[in-house]
Amino acid sequence: MTTSRQLTRPKALAGLGLVGFVLLLGLVGPLLAPYGPLEQIEGANLVGPSPSHWLGTDEVNRDVLSRTLSGIRLDLLVVFVAVPVGAAIGVLTGLLTAWWNVADVLTQRIFDVVLAFPTLIFAIALSAFIGPGVWTIAIVIVALEIPVFGRLVRTSVRTVREMPYVEAAQVAGAGPLWVLRRHVLPNSLEPLTVQLAVSMSVAVFIEAAMSFLGIGVQAPNPSLGSLIKDGTTLMYDAPFLALGPLALVLVLVLGLLLISQSLSEAHRD
Amino acid sequence: MLSYLVRRIPSAVGVLFAASFLIFLMLRLIPGDPVDALAGQDATQESRDAIRADLGLDKPFWSQYVSWLGGLFRLDLGQSYRIGGDVGDLLRNGALNTVVLTVAALLIALVLALVTSLVAVIRDSRWLNAALNAVNTIGLALPTFASGLLLVLVFAVVFPLLPSGGTPPEGYLARPDISVQYLLLPAFCLALPVWAGLSRFLTEALRSQLRQPYITTARAAGVSRTRLVVRHALPNALPSAVTVLGIQVGTLLGGAVLVEQIFTWPGLGSLIELAISGRDYPVVQVLLLLSVAVFVVTQLLTDVLQAWLDPRIRIGGAR
Amino acid sequence: MNVPHRQAWLRLLTAAVALCLLSACTSAVGEQARRRSSGEPVDGGTLRVAALTDLIPASVFGQSSNGGNAVIGLVYDSLVEYPHDSLEARPALATSWKVAKDGRSIHLELRDDVRFHDGKPFTSEDVKFSIRTIADPKWAVQLQRTAAAVTGFDTSDPHAITLTFDRPLSNILDLLDIVPIVDKDTFSQVKAGTGYNGTGAFRFDEWKPNSEISFSRNDDYWGGKPHLDGVDVKIVPDPQAQAAGIRSGQYDLLLGATARDAETFSKDPKYEVLDFEGATQQTYVGFNLKNPDLKDVRLRQAVAFAVDRERILDEVYRGEGIAQNLSWSPGSPAYDEKAAHHYDRDVDKARELVDGLGSVASLPLQYIAGDPTAEAVAQIVQANLDDVGITVDLEPVEYAQMYQRLVGADYDGLWIFGHTYAQYTPATLPVSAYPFNAEHNASNFLSPGYAAHADQAWAAAAPDGPKAKRAYAGLNADMVDNVWLTDLVTFWPRLVTTSAIHDIDYTKRTELIARDAWKDQ
Amino acid sequence: MTDPVGSTEETGTRDVLTIEGLAISFAQPRPAVNDISVSIRQGEVLALVGESGSGKSMTARAVLGLLPPGARASGSIRFHDQELLGLSERELSQVRGRRIAMVFQEPQTALNPVRTIGWQLREVLRAHGSISRRDARARALALLEQVEIPEPERRIDHYPHQLSGGQKQRVVLALALANEPELLLADEPTTALDVTVQAEILTLLRRIRENTGTSILLITHNMGVVAEVADRVVVLRQGDVVESGGTAELFRAPEHAYTRQLLDSVLTLPEAGDYVHSVPGPEAPAEHPALSYESVSVAYGSSRRGRAFPAVTQVSLDLAPGEVLGLVGESGSGKTTLGRLAAGLVPLAGGTVRLDGEDLFAASAARRRELGRDLAFVHQDPEASLDPRMSVGASIREPLDIHRVGTPAERAARVAELLEAVRLPAEVARRRPRELSGGQRQRIAMARALVLKPRLMIADEPTSALDVSVQADVLALFRDLQKEFGFACVFISHDLAVVNSVADRVAVLRHGEVVESGPVAQVFGTPSHPYTQRLLAAVPVPDPSRRTTEQVVEANRRRAG
């Protein structure tokens, strides 16, 4: 209820608009794309932006606009699937361990250890383990979000369980499941949504950084990160290559940031 | 306060131990045998066995783990399989570069964050806030490699004012003036997101401190706004900012991998990539453990700093 | 502490830093930019080299890397030297040599005025030790088979040596060109990367892993004092960073410029692009015959017909090279123009071959991760194969593992990699290079006929005599018929230097030579 | 009402501050100030009285330009001849602290937690002219002495958290007095304090006025405090002045109905020597008391780490069915802990707690849940006692849902029934807690507590967060409900008068021990324990003719010394 109200603030609306724009492009864009994302067009080697190729063509003669539109989908997958999956697992573990003290200390230590690795180093190590690729990105993000959300939920469980209304329910005879479902989860929702938006923007970064380091999406498939990387390796010869995908990353991250900021501002007020 | 610190040490050590075991185990689960990489095409089984024995890989897992841990306590980090040489020697140079880079970035981020958030809160003017907010958000939304390449393009290629990458040729101390120029771009690039995050947090923290009753008390006593912000609100906002900064150190190390690549800064970030792809276990496990240790120590330092900044923790609640 | 005081202090600090940055201090960039002059060589200056890959001491003689090759080229000498553009060996540490009539031994006269950097005199024992070292499989040197065939060492005269072989070696001079003469006593330092004691024009000073290797002038060099004070090899793993670095005046010489960068720099009068056409390298598509689908030669032939070598040459290598399916350059005794173009692109033929196979499963195509050139080639090949109905999945593999799979012959299916050794005596390729080694190659291709042809070429007394040529024709036919690999492009190193650098040289094995190099002051 | 109230009556002394036609409006909808005119004379204590929303605090804040962002003030505030409204921040800071100072309600948060007392005093001194470090320290010590802080030499280097609440409030006073202001604005300076401490601070305020001639504008909701210290009173309601006049006259003959209502809702204690009527109490003791504490102890902190300290020690109390037992005591006395113990919310360190004869802590979790049906808990804080995300109806219904009592229709009917019982319209069931006032929320909490028809209710300070008039209503309601439903109740309060009005018996707690217990009229009428006597004496009496606190403080000091 309050969340939906917060989302109607102008700042949140702007954020939603930006994210929605990228979402729409990712869903509808590939249908409108002039070429296939992998299609190599004869003779169109590294052509600058022109009416026939709005964002130019790349080193192996592919239309960058078409690739960009198709590449958005992968980021959307990472943002709207991997993050929520990790978040869901994290929330569940957080609830279980914090409320029933099931292996609470052990879980916290594991979370500590996972969070102790800098994200990218963790990603590099993991990619050595399972090889580079889309799955690696997804697994890295899921593995990272589990402790992030697990901790968040743990903190909020500990806060909410001290609240008088929870005590009142407990005194009236409510069991733990009842309290979790009726009180703890609904009242943890606000910090969770803020974190969700933050995590989503971080996920875009992770995808881009991993692809930039060559351990993310692999050729010939496009993602925003791999397109930026392709563009930056030819920065002097074809500065136009990275512009489109870079702008989209900015728009996406900016949108998610605005949403999370307005959510947390509303939360604070 | 000392007991407060002492209480935290066992859990920190626990994390380190757990991490060391996890790292050791994970690396041995990675497909690929380092002996294959070392022995040539025509190597005989004997020479392969000799190499295996030479590396200690013929011993059982636990004994390998224990002997590695034992080595760590004696500061003997082992021998690199592929790159060659003592792991400690390999790391020393890279570690120096990475430390210089990250510390410089941390300082830049800290100073910039302090200055911008203090100015923003003291001035409290609408357009200044909007401008800082915009810069902030862009700093947060711009991927590190994008900002890095932009910096190279602008300051090293279009206007060749600063070196495009690399470390100072004569070391850091021989010519500090030159060193600063080499450090400026990569450190700033690394500092940018940290600065943005920190200054955003600090501005908010200062603003929320300014809403506290004790500020009203001081204001009612006629203390000027600048003093209110700098002398009253800031010391109260710092402890939580220190926590945020502690978390950012992790971000900084991760970012260092990217920045080192962009600015060809020969630090641990590039070494770890090389070592992982070459299955150079002794190097990889030390590097991974090092990054965990940095994190753990940062957490401890954060706690100590926080206690030092906050008398409620330092002196305790005794009346 | 008073606030105004602190503010003043801050202001002072800011001002000091700004001042320092703006005026008093020298610019790091400005210091690098030197004025141009021309004419006679001048002494002094340090050559600043950007290398793509770092020295790996554990395999310094085997796996080639920019850093390792710089160490070998600068610190060590060999007995004889090929100029980069021919196979006419020239004296180096050996002043003269004579191959026995039966081709089973060689006698070399050695210089008597040569000392290692640590002062120890150079003798025939060092030659023996050096060849023995290369013959040790531990170093995984591709010429290991040739070195191992050298079985007798007559070192009775410290300034002459006779090597005897257990079989005729037509490529013995290749070996003598390639083997660096190392010092036995200090050799343990080599593997640790702490010391390289050679006889070359530059002394090894220090290796900072992943960062730089520094060298200083050897004033007692037997070939005369070099002009340069020293050489600094910086490890710059990103080609783009190398390009940016030379533009901002940080480097004098790039070892890792991409074809596109080289093309750009060649149009700029401030830079020179040095072409070493004799030091050819090849990019190829290999097939692991252990993969059941690739066992069928028709599929391999279809791939060979399908790939668009001209497009790869034009778009990726910017036209600097030769699009052909064999490795020999036109100057090589084994060169056969018809065979080299047997597999010129023919989509119809490729489709026909594929149709004849029935259904073709999707195959993995492995290539070097993070190498933009390899990635571009792989993507073009993928599209070419797609055109004829062969689906391949691109699979990037870290360089170290790529090399490991090459040595261990365990690629999953197809792969794209580079090879060399076609620039030497033709026998060296089939007896040494991992992809071609007739006894044991990366494709797991074994054929008695091919092994026999390789052996004949190896045993031929004169590398360009008629007997040899017959063996070469046989080898070419083997390669065309069996296509366990197919070359895409033959190209050569293009080094980018600023125009202030002169007389840089490169060996056939892409080792940096700087003994005559000089720098404008 | 544009005439400054009472400004012309006595011409001998001149007005220090004159507020005329002050109106304050907000961007957001919230109680505003419509039209307030007040003036304060030299050396006078003027009380500004009103309930929440009356605009009393905003008026004081407007004087120093400390209104919250988004507030707009109009009218006139003159300090001597200087108009304060519309001054710039820089000009205001010349007035703040130097000429007019202010003291706030909550001493816990009014001091900077990370700076020493001495630092904060020096800082305030330096805000109005440079002063050397040594002089500043000497002056700070003098100030601490002036506000009667023991051992100022030691205390000056302490941090706020090392001081007690009363000491903190003294430091806040010292901060306000540092630059010798002519006018002191004191916004509920004693509300957050225990009664005995309140008495001390009030005495201090009076003494300051006597010694320095500072005028004091005292803002309070407590008529007892007004009667204790004020020379004149201005009564505010919803942003308007209702009535004003000399304290004695106003208490004797209040003119306005609202003033009368305010005075009427003040609860009183039995006077010493009043007739002690024997409380009939519950007849014929049932076979089991509803609740019995058998020499119970509770420890806080972890006993494992050996740093436990006792919160309750060896307390034995019985509560008969249908009886109301009041627990009174100051903060830290353990009264709340005892209440929570009966609800099973804190671990027991020793002794036995019996509900209806059954050992609560020996029961299984399932049995305890069953026992919960007969037990209800009403929390002190109406803000937090209802889940903000649940509708009021759902909150009341929750215990029914938990125990699956009846059909949904029956549950809804029961909710409606209870809403009626707590005198709220049925449509409230659909609202969210934050749409309701504090009093309404406390009624809802009571309704929820009663939904399962409990035999025992634990009410922990259920009215302490409410305005006096609302408190009177809620207490009346409580009495009615108790009569109607016949539950036994542990009623916890720091306010002796409140307990007096609802409880049958009372237990006085101090440092976790019962010092005295018995029928209310007996304990409050003829207290036997000196602590109870002191507590009773410290309560300000809403009768200006009987200012008693001075003696109490004196008694305290003698005892302490």
Side-chain angles (χ1 to χ4, degrees), chain D residues 7-91:
Chain D
S7 63
T8 49
E9 282 176 26
E10 287 176 53
T11 43
T13 45
R14 57 195 195 95
D15 290 346
V16 176
L17 183 77
T18 313
I19 299 173
E20 279 178 55
L22 178 68
I24 303 169
S25 61
F26 297 95
Q28 304 99 330
R30 61 190 275 185
V33 171
N34 296 330
D35 179 3
I36 287 180
S37 302
V38 172
S39 67
I40 305 162
R41 290 173 213 136
Q42 182 90 47
E44 177 185 50
V45 177
L46 177 72
L48 220 50
V49 184
E51 296 188 293
S52 40
S54 63
K56 56 190 192 300
S57 285
M58 283 304 145
T59 305
R61 285 172 160 262
V63 172
L64 282 181
L66 296 174
L67 288 172
R72 297 164 59 82
S74 61
S76 155
I77 300 175
R78 270 197 326 278
F79 180 67
H80 295 299
D81 294 324
Q82 186 182 14
E83 176 60 48
L84 297 181
L85 266 192
L87 283 190
S88 72
E89 197 58 20
R90 184 177 293 265
E91 291 162 323

Side-chain angles (χ1 to χ4, degrees), chain C residues 97-116:
Chain C
W97 55 91
K98 191 165 168 48
V99 182
K101 278 245 169 64
D102 63 357
R104 282 174 176 270
S105 70
I106 186 170
H107 176 79
L108 299 108
E109 293 291 329
L110 305 179
R111 294 189 73 105
D112 56 4
D113 57 346
V114 179
R115 282 170 185 278
F116 282 97

Side-chain angles (χ1 to χ4, degrees), chain A residues 1-3 5 163-165 167-176 178 182-183 186-187 189-190, chain D residues 340 343 345 369 372 375 377 379 384-390 398-399 401-403 432 434 448 452:
Chain A
M1 167 210 75
T2 37
T3 306
R5 185 173 305 169
M163 293 305 283
Y165 56 82
E167 287 183 346
Q170 279 178 306
V171 169
W178 178 279
R182 299 284 299 251
H183 297 288
N187 282 293
L189 229 56
E190 275 178 30
Chain D
R340 295 171 63 81
L345 290 170
R369 226 169 284 161
L375 184 100
F377 192 83
H379 193 273
S385 58
L386 297 174
D387 189 332
R389 294 187 167 263
M390 276 187 167
E398 193 181 11
D401 292 343
I402 292 170
H403 292 282
R432 301 276 161 180
R434 61 198 180 90
R448 177 179 58 185
L452 285 172

Side-chain angles (χ1 to χ4, degrees), chain A residues 8-187:
Chain A
T8 55
R9 293 161 152 236
K11 197 170 182 180
L13 279 181
L16 282 176
L18 294 178
V19 174
F21 169 70
V22 179
L23 194 70
L24 196 72
L25 275 188
L27 293 180
V28 188
L31 308 175
L32 309 174
Y35 298 91
L38 305 182
E39 188 180 343
Q40 302 185 358
I41 305 143
E42 211 175 317
N45 188 242
L46 224 54
V47 178
S50 67
S52 47
H53 303 288
W54 289 6
L55 296 178
T57 62
D58 69 4
E59 206 184 6
V60 280
N61 310 0
R62 293 171 300 206
D63 182 57
V64 177
L65 176 65
S66 308
R67 282 177 73 70
T68 308
L69 290 174
S70 155
I72 296 172
R73 289 192 168 184
L74 185 114
D75 286 75
L76 295 182
L77 182 84
V78 161
V79 167
F80 292 108
V81 178
V83 174
V85 165
I89 302 177
V91 167
L92 276 180
T93 26
L95 284 180
L96 288 180
T97 56
W99 191 273
W100 282 287
N101 282 325
V102 182
D104 187 30
V105 175
L106 181 71
T107 317
Q108 287 310 309
R109 286 292 155 273
I110 293 176
F111 286 176
D112 282 349
V113 170
V114 172
L115 290 178
F117 290 105
T119 312
L120 276 183
I121 293 179
F122 182 74
I124 293 171
L126 204 67
S127 80
F129 198 42
I130 53 181
V134 180
W135 281 107
T136 317
I137 302 181
I139 292 173
V140 164
I141 288 171
V142 169
L144 273 173
E145 296 308 335
I146 291 175
V148 168
F149 280 88
R151 280 194 163 181
L152 190 67
V153 167
R154 185 173 181 270
T155 321
S156 103
V157 165
R158 301 249 149 155
T159 320
V160 174
R161 77 188 294 177
E162 301 295 325
M163 293 305 283
Y165 56 82
V166 170
E167 287 183 346
Q170 279 178 306
V171 169
L177 267 182
W178 178 279
V179 174
L180 282 183
R181 197 164 50 86
R182 299 284 299 251
H183 297 288
V184 174
L185 212 53
N187 282 293

